[in-house]
């Protein structure tokens, strides 16, 4: 039922909850989606209350793979490059990345020193999001997202996708009003898949040349 609803939406905001900020090391804890303001869905994978009857990641990915790889479906996210990198490790490619709120805000306000979703939410929606520290703590007592109770992580995850969905409409209008369509559509968005490949595969370095350059400097 969820796959059907998402497939018929004009825009799908989504976010992954994971165990690490390092995309190439992170395990998926859950998926959140939003296709209308003030609502969303959470598909849990790893949580403390999990039992043998709950869905396994392999089953969920089997259903979601066709959703992500259908270019008729338009996806948006906050720093969607991270989520796409995580999914690439499971042989899933997001066929149609339509919008990235972080990239859009960077284009609108390149002078800012932070583009966190919390800040964008407060600036544009006058809404204060739930801090991640409320869920996992900080410092020596910090826990993994997989250890957060289902009801708590569900709200947090859906909030991320919902806020991203709402911001996408606002920021898209601002980009149009500022006449930044060409830069966004022809430079910034097409660059995301390129950066995904670079970060996934790495780049070749001429170490001998770099050593020589270091000595010269």
């Amino acid at each position: 039922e969820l796959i059907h609803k998402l497939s018929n939406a004009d825009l799908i905001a989504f976010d992954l909850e994971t165990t690490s900020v390092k995309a190439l090391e992170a395990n998926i804890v859950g998926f959140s989606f939003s296709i209308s303001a003030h609502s969303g869905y959470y598909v849990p994978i790893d949580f403390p209350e999990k039992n043998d009857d709950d869905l396994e990641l392999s089953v969920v990915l089997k259903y979601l793979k066709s959703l992500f790889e259908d270019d008729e479906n338009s996806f948006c996210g906050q720093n969607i490059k991270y989520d796409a990198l995580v999914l690439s490790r499971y042989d899933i490619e997001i066929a149609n990345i339509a919008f990235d709120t972080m990239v859009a805000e960077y284009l609108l306000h390149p002078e800012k020193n932070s583009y966190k979703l919390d800040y964008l939410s407060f600036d544009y929606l006058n809404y204060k999001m739930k801090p991640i520290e409320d869920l996992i703590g900080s410092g020596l007592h910090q826990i993994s997202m997989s250890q957060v109770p289902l009801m708590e992580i569900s709200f947090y995850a859906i909030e991320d996708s919902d806020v991203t969905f709402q911001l996408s409409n606002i920021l898209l209008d601002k980009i149009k009003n500022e006449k930044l369509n060409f830069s966004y559509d022809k430079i910034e968005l097409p660059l995301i898949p390129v950066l995904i490949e670079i970060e996934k595969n790495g780049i070749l370095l001429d170490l001998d040349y770099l050593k020589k350059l270091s000595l010269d400097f």
Side-chain angles (χ1 to χ4, degrees):
E1 184 181 354
L2 175 59
I3 297 293
H4 178 73
K5 285 181 179 179
L6 296 176
S7 298
N8 286 283
D10 293 330
L11 182 66
I12 306 168
F14 94 101
D15 183 59
L16 294 179
E17 297 306 326
T18 64
T19 56
S20 173
V21 295
K22 297 179 180 179
L24 300 180
E25 299 176 8
N27 295 320
I28 297 175
V29 174
F31 303 79
S32 67
F33 301 92
S34 179
I35 53 176
S36 61
H38 312 299
S39 67
Y41 306 89
Y42 184 62
V43 182
I45 300 298
D46 197 4
F47 52 100
E49 307 95 324
K50 185 170 183 173
N51 58 53
D52 294 338
D53 296 328
D54 290 310
L55 288 172
E56 294 297 329
L57 179 60
S58 58
V59 177
V60 174
L61 289 177
K62 183 175 73 172
Y63 283 98
L64 291 181
K65 183 176 174 65
S66 59
L67 182 80
F68 283 119
E69 295 188 344
D70 186 346
D71 59 12
E72 293 294 317
N73 298 324
S74 300
F75 287 91
C76 69
Q78 163 78 1
N79 188 20
I80 201 169
K81 176 168 64 69
Y82 169 86
D83 305 275
L85 259 175
V86 175
L87 290 175
S88 73
R89 292 168 45 216
Y90 298 91
D91 193 31
I92 293 178
E93 179 182 352
I94 304 175
N96 184 9
I97 296 176
F99 204 80
D100 188 314
T101 50
M102 188 179 77
V103 174
E105 180 67 359
Y106 163 73
L107 199 59
L108 289 164
H109 299 286
E111 75 283 357
K112 283 189 173 182
N113 59 12
S114 177
Y115 300 93
K116 290 179 64 176
L117 189 61
D118 309 58
Y119 299 151
L120 301 188
S121 175
F122 194 76
D123 288 346
Y124 290 106
L125 304 174
N126 196 29
Y127 176 74
K128 188 175 181 180
M129 299 180 69
K130 186 178 183 67
I132 190 171
E133 291 79 13
D134 286 4
L135 274 72
I136 62 173
S138 59
L140 293 174
H141 302 291
Q142 183 172 312
I143 62 174
S144 168
M145 289 296 275
S146 61
Q147 296 173 278
V148 178
L150 184 56
M151 288 305 296
E152 292 183 35
I153 195 172
S154 295
F155 178 86
Y156 175 86
I158 292 171
E159 185 182 59
D160 276 358
S161 289
D162 173 33
V163 167
T164 298
F165 180 85
Q166 294 185 57
L167 287 172
S168 294
N169 296 309
I170 294 171
L171 295 176
L172 180 58
D173 286 341
K174 288 187 174 294
I175 282 176
K176 290 177 181 176
N177 292 336
E178 295 290 334
K179 304 292 191 295
L180 292 169
N181 305 59
F182 180 84
S183 297
Y184 190 78
D185 295 334
K186 302 300 182 183
I187 299 174
E188 298 296 344
L189 270 184
L191 185 60
I192 294 175
V194 176
L195 293 175
I196 290 169
E197 286 300 308
I198 290 175
E199 290 190 30
K200 184 179 178 184
N201 298 320
I203 57 175
L204 290 172
L205 293 176
D206 186 337
L207 297 181
D208 291 334
Y209 175 75
L210 288 176
K211 287 176 184 175
K212 179 181 178 299
L213 201 62
S214 179
L215 289 172
D216 290 345
F217 285 155

